[in-house]
Amino acid sequence: MASVLLPHPLTGRPFTSPVAPGTGWPGDTADAGTPVATTPDAVARLAATASRAELDAAVTLCRACPRLVAWREDVATTKRAAFADQPYWGRPVASFGDPDATALVVGLAPAAHGANRTGRMFTGDRSGDWLYSALHRAGFASQPHATHAGDGLELTGLRIIAPVHCAPPDNKPTTLEKATCAHWLDRDLQLSGTKVRAVMALGSIAWDAVLGSARRLAWGVPRPKPRFGHGAEATLTRPDGAPVRLVGCYHVSQQNTFTGRLTEPMLDAAIDRLKA
C-alpha cells in the first residue's frame, strides 16, 4: 500500500491510496474492527447474517478475489494523470442510497477511475453524470451531479446496488468473481426485500444477477427466464407474495450514451417505471 498522503478533493483531509479504513473518508463506515473476507466461503458466512450497516462496512474490506484486489489497488496507485493529485479509494464500493428504499437500481461494477477513485457508486465519471441527473429529474436524488463521496448527494426512496463491488479489468468480472460477490448481492436484496417494489437492471449482467439472486432467495421468477432488453419488464414475487417489477435498461456507459443507443428520454422512461 502506498504511503504517500494526498488531500481529499472536498475535505482536504490527507489519505493514502488505497484508503485505509477508519481514517475519515466521507461515508466510510469500516474500521479496524470490521471483519475482512479473504475467501468466497468467508464472504458467504459474513453476508448471511449481516445487518445493513455491517454489510456495507464488510463489503468495502473484502479481499476474496485476488485478481480484483490487485487490479483495484494498482489503479489506485498508478492513477490516471488527470487525478494524480488525488487519493484513490481503491477498495470495494458499498451500495448507496436510502436504506428503506422501495426501488433499486442494479449496475455492474465500480469504474476504475470513477467509483474506485471516489468511493461511491456511479460517482466521478460520465456514467454517473447521466444516472444521477436522471434520478434527480425523477425526484430520487437531491442533486443532479455526483463528484465525490461527501458532496452532499442523498437518495430518497432508492438504493443503488451492484453484482460486483470491485473495479474489474476491462470492466469484465469473471464468472467466479461474480459468484463470490453474489453473496453480498443476495443479502442486500434480502434486506431490501420487505420494502422493495421495483428494480431497474442496467444491462444484461445486472438483469441476470437479479434473477439469480431472486431464485436463491426463493422469490417467484417467471419461466422461461425473462430476456433482457431495454424496456423489458418481468414480475418477480417476493416470499410474502408481493409483486416486484423488474425493468431492463441499457447501461449508462459511454458506449451507449455517446452512440445514442441510450438517450435521456429512454433513461427517464425506465426510471419512471420505478415509481409506477
Side-chain angles (χ1 to χ4, degrees):
M1 181 179 292
S3 60
V4 175
L5 295 173
L6 292 172
H8 186 280
L10 298 182
T11 69
R13 188 166 181 167
F15 294 96
T16 59
S17 300
V19 174
T23 53
W25 189 272
D28 184 10
T29 58
D31 56 29
T34 302
V36 180
T38 57
T39 66
D41 285 346
V43 173
R45 185 172 61 254
L46 287 175
T49 58
S51 67
R52 173 70 73 205
E54 291 169 341
L55 179 71
D56 287 345
V59 161
T60 68
L61 296 186
C62 185
R63 301 183 69 83
C65 300
R67 187 184 78 116
L68 296 186
V69 172
W71 172 255
R72 78 192 190 213
E73 294 187 355
D74 180 65
V75 169
T77 53
T78 58
K79 304 182 181 181
R80 178 172 285 172
F83 308 121
D85 61 343
Q86 298 181 16
Y88 268 53
W89 172 253
R91 287 162 45 193
V93 182
S95 299
F96 169 64
D98 189 342
D100 296 316
T102 58
L104 303 176
V105 171
V106 184
L108 171 55
H113 303 282
N116 187 57
R117 172 175 61 91
T118 65
R120 191 177 64 199
M121 290 283 186
F122 284 104
T123 298
D125 59 18
R126 293 189 178 183
S127 294
D129 293 342
W130 266 71
L131 181 60
Y132 286 117
S133 291
L135 292 176
H136 179 68
R137 291 192 294 271
F140 287 115
S142 62
Q143 60 194 39
H145 52 80
T147 60
H148 223 289
D151 62 7
L153 174 66
E154 295 182 357
L155 300 181
T156 301
L158 184 137
R159 181 172 170 86
I160 299 175
I161 63 180
V164 176
H165 287 272
C166 292
D170 300 319
N171 293 319
K172 294 179 180 179
T174 67
T175 299
L176 177 59
E177 288 161 355
K178 288 186 286 186
T180 299
C181 220
H183 297 293
W184 301 127
L185 176 65
D186 289 355
R187 186 58 176 165
D188 221 324
L189 189 59
Q190 187 176 42
L191 290 168
S192 301
T194 58
K195 303 179 181 70
V196 67
R197 297 198 302 265
V199 179
M200 186 173 77
L202 293 173
S204 60
I205 290 177
W207 179 271
D208 289 344
V210 173
L211 293 177
S213 184
R215 289 192 189 97
R216 290 189 295 273
L217 295 175
W219 290 29
V221 177
R223 293 187 181 278
K225 172 188 167 184
R227 296 184 63 180
F228 172 77
H230 184 83
E233 185 170 313
T235 299
L236 311 178
T237 307
R238 296 188 331 218
D240 62 2
V244 176
R245 177 185 291 113
L246 174 61
V247 178
C249 179
Y250 290 144
H251 197 281
V252 288
S253 65
Q254 293 184 48
Q255 294 94 322
N256 290 332
T257 59
F258 276 18
T259 61
R261 188 175 190 232
L262 178 66
T263 65
E264 287 188 352
M266 290 168 65
L267 179 57
D268 288 345
I271 289 174
D272 281 345
R273 289 160 72 182
L274 296 176
K275 301 184 289 184

